[in-house]
Amino acid sequence: MKKLFSFFLTILLCFSILPITSCKGGSSENAKNQDQNASFEECEVIPLKYANQFAVERYGSGAEKVLVLRIEDGLNYIVLPEGVEPPSTIGGSDTSKYTIINQPLDSVYLAASSVMDLISAMDSGADLSHVKLTSTKASDWGIPEIKEMVDNGEIAYVGKYNAPDYEALLETECDLAVGWSPCTQAFLMQSNKVKN
């Protein structure tokens, strides 16, 4: 879980683009749901040393601890541990518009070579075993470790970032796709299964 959190946080650190928001308080509309989601109302903001364009919050306790990633433009993500159901509210906010990321993430498509570079170089001990797909050919990698993993099939090349092989993404049951758009310099992330 710690390695996966480090991996996920690194991805966000690499491509964050907007000012942070903070834990939100409950509203009167959500008061009736607070008993049901009591453990998801108290927030711990995870301090970020250098990043200032998004916020990471922790809700709950024990095995039901969830992470909320908030980006100012309204992109909000909830990272749920295996077996934990998404709450209807978190920090007083309705979660129906949040993107839910269910762990474990066993098959990640990383379409941003700069993120792969940062993850492979992290001191936290994160590994690339959950990265199964890439948008960079083996011959284009400058990192020997990644080049070798693509060459021997541990990481599959599934086409360029702007035209991936969607059938391959479906066949590998891709849990998370991470990429970026050079046209808008905006970070893009969609969670769970790649849908038709």
Side-chain angles (χ1 to χ4, degrees):
M1 170 101 173
K2 187 173 181 180
K3 287 182 180 183
L4 192 55
F5 172 72
S6 296
F7 167 74
F8 194 72
L9 190 56
T10 300
I11 290 170
L12 288 175
L13 289 171
C14 295
F15 290 103
S16 58
I17 59 174
L18 298 169
I20 65 169
T21 61
S22 62
C23 297
K24 297 180 180 180
S27 68
S28 60
E29 291 179 18
N30 293 322
K32 63 182 176 184
N33 293 326
Q34 286 185 355
D35 289 338
Q36 170 184 1
N37 293 303
S39 67
F40 298 111
E41 296 304 313
E42 292 299 317
C43 169
E44 172 194 353
V45 176
I46 298 173
L48 303 174
K49 189 171 182 177
Y50 300 105
N52 61 9
Q53 299 176 353
F54 65 92
V56 181
E57 304 163 359
R58 186 177 293 132
Y59 290 86
S61 61
E64 293 197 3
K65 194 171 282 189
V66 301
L67 293 177
V68 174
L69 310 162
R70 295 187 193 274
I71 302 174
E72 183 66 27
D73 68 354
L75 295 176
N76 293 306
Y77 302 90
I78 299 175
V79 182
L80 295 173
E82 187 173 10
V84 174
E85 292 294 319
S88 59
T89 63
I90 196 159
S93 297
D94 177 11
T95 60
S96 63
K97 294 183 181 176
Y98 285 54
T99 299
I100 305 296
I101 300 172
N102 292 302
Q103 293 181 340
L105 298 174
D106 297 319
S107 181
V108 175
Y109 169 49
L110 205 49
S113 57
S114 58
V115 174
M116 185 91 79
D117 181 31
L118 290 170
I119 293 168
S120 68
M122 282 191 328
D123 291 334
S124 66
D127 63 52
L128 296 168
S129 64
H130 45 276
V131 177
K132 301 295 183 194
L133 309 159
T134 183
S135 64
T136 306
K137 294 178 183 177
S139 60
D140 293 337
W141 279 106
I143 307 166
E145 175 190 10
I146 308 302
K147 179 180 175 22
E148 182 179 329
M149 292 176 83
V150 176
D151 272 339
N152 69 23
E154 289 177 63
I155 299 175
Y157 169 71
V158 292
K160 295 301 288 178
Y161 69 93
N162 59 351
D165 180 347
Y166 293 104
E167 291 173 357
L169 293 174
L170 288 169
E171 286 174 13
T172 59
E173 298 182 6
C174 180
D175 297 313
L176 180 70
V178 179
W180 70 291
S181 170
C183 300
T184 62
Q185 298 298 308
F187 175 68
L188 304 173
M189 181 173 20
Q190 297 301 318
S191 73
N192 295 334
K193 305 288 183 199
V194 176
K195 307 241 192 273
N196 290 329

